Amino acid sequence: MIENLIEPQRLLLTWQPSTRGTRYLVGEIKRLDNDRVLFHYLRDTPDYNKALENGFEGYPAFRLSQSFHDQNVLTSFFRRLPPRSRGDFDRYLSQYLLPTPFKGSDLSLLAHTGAKLPSDTFVLLPDLSTCEGNFEYVLEVAGTRYQKELDIDAVQAGDAARLQEELDNDHDSNAIAVMHRGVRIGYVNKVLCEYLKPKVRSGSVLATIARKNGSSDRSLIYLLISIKN
């Protein structure tokens, strides 16, 4: 169970085409000084423009024609989570190794769960550079379906894992591979790599397999990382 929650000041909205493939960073949620939050489309960035080329039409609650939105931001994203009043809410939290009762902020809860739905391809990620102190975070391992040497049956919750820079990666020199018993099982989401690279180099990251699920043709592996700041 996670003991040290993250309290980010910024969340990153990512989107992936329904055909899968690359995930793009398209927006952000920022905590303002007065405890209000602002949603902002990250226009004129390479990821945003590539997302548009691949069919991105905006997040349903916020018009694409308007860059900044400050009304009902958290409410819109919390609709993606089960209500806290539901009898199985504790079970929902346990998927992300979150304690009950959950004592973090609304942004912390969105960050830890990703506000992910099976019906679309939006996911929220924390800007880990805005998180202070030591913390733990569960992330989905990306690209597992493309790992030819991966034996999903050999991967078990509780197994040790290791993050490894992949400087010779032809597609992304910032890539961080997830290794399990000497075999690459996937990658860290590219949005998190810039923050994690110096942590990996300094040995400040510990990784453990948190859980796995999914179908035989698309196995999902989740990694628990512990960060020392």
Side-chain angles (χ1 to χ4, degrees):
M1 196 67 69
I2 287 176
E3 296 181 359
N4 301 296
L5 298 171
I6 56 177
E7 279 293 350
Q9 300 300 309
R10 179 175 179 245
L11 300 180
L12 307 171
L13 180 64
T14 67
W15 173 82
Q16 185 181 42
S18 58
T19 53
R20 302 296 175 177
T22 300
R23 180 171 289 280
Y24 301 103
L25 175 57
V26 295
E28 65 177 1
I29 302 172
K30 294 182 68 175
R31 192 198 303 266
L32 305 180
D33 293 338
N34 57 4
D35 281 339
R36 294 180 64 193
V37 296
L38 177 74
F39 176 80
H40 172 218
Y41 282 116
L42 297 174
R43 298 184 183 279
D44 300 323
T45 62
D47 260 26
Y48 182 87
N49 291 328
K50 289 179 181 177
L52 290 178
E53 293 172 5
N54 283 274
F56 178 60
E57 297 180 345
Y59 186 74
F62 307 119
R63 295 193 306 273
L64 199 59
S65 59
Q66 182 178 335
S67 295
F68 294 90
H69 300 262
D70 60 1
Q71 299 296 315
N72 300 316
V73 174
L74 291 184
T75 300
S76 298
F77 284 100
F78 262 91
R79 293 193 184 103
R80 303 171 66 86
L81 276 62
R84 297 180 194 232
S85 58
R86 264 179 47 170
D88 60 351
F89 189 71
D90 289 358
R91 183 178 178 184
Y92 173 75
L93 292 177
S94 70
Q95 297 180 60
Y96 304 95
L97 306 186
L98 294 173
T100 54
F102 185 84
K103 297 182 179 180
S105 68
D106 287 347
L107 255 65
S108 178
L109 182 54
L110 289 173
H112 277 289
T113 63
K116 186 176 181 180
L117 291 176
S119 57
D120 64 28
T121 55
F122 289 101
V123 177
L124 286 173
L125 296 172
D127 179 351
L128 295 178
S129 68
T130 67
C131 302
E132 299 180 351
N134 301 336
F135 59 83
E136 294 92 52
Y137 173 64
V138 174
L139 61 87
E140 181 182 331
V141 179
T144 54
R145 68 168 73 180
Y146 305 112
Q147 308 311 308
K148 296 180 180 179
E149 297 183 13
L150 171 60
D151 178 6
I152 191 63
D153 293 329
V155 180
Q156 300 297 327
D159 287 354
R162 182 169 57 89
L163 301 186
Q164 176 178 296
E165 287 186 84
E166 206 169 71
L167 300 177
D168 59 350
N169 188 298
D170 294 334
H171 301 287
D172 183 4
S173 61
N174 288 321
I176 298 177
V178 180
M179 307 298 293
H180 174 265
R181 297 179 181 174
V183 175
R184 186 180 64 205
I185 61 175
Y187 290 92
V188 172
N189 188 300
K190 67 175 185 177
V191 175
L192 303 174
C193 288
E194 182 177 356
Y195 169 81
L196 286 175
K197 281 185 71 172
K199 298 292 183 182
V200 171
R201 290 175 183 171
S202 66
S204 302
V205 183
L206 294 178
T208 307
I209 303 298
R211 63 184 173 93
K212 64 177 183 178
N213 59 17
S215 60
S216 58
D217 61 335
R218 187 171 188 268
S219 299
L220 301 178
I221 300 174
Y222 295 86
L223 195 70
L224 173 65
I225 58 172
S226 299
I227 305 291
K228 293 182 179 180
N229 284 312

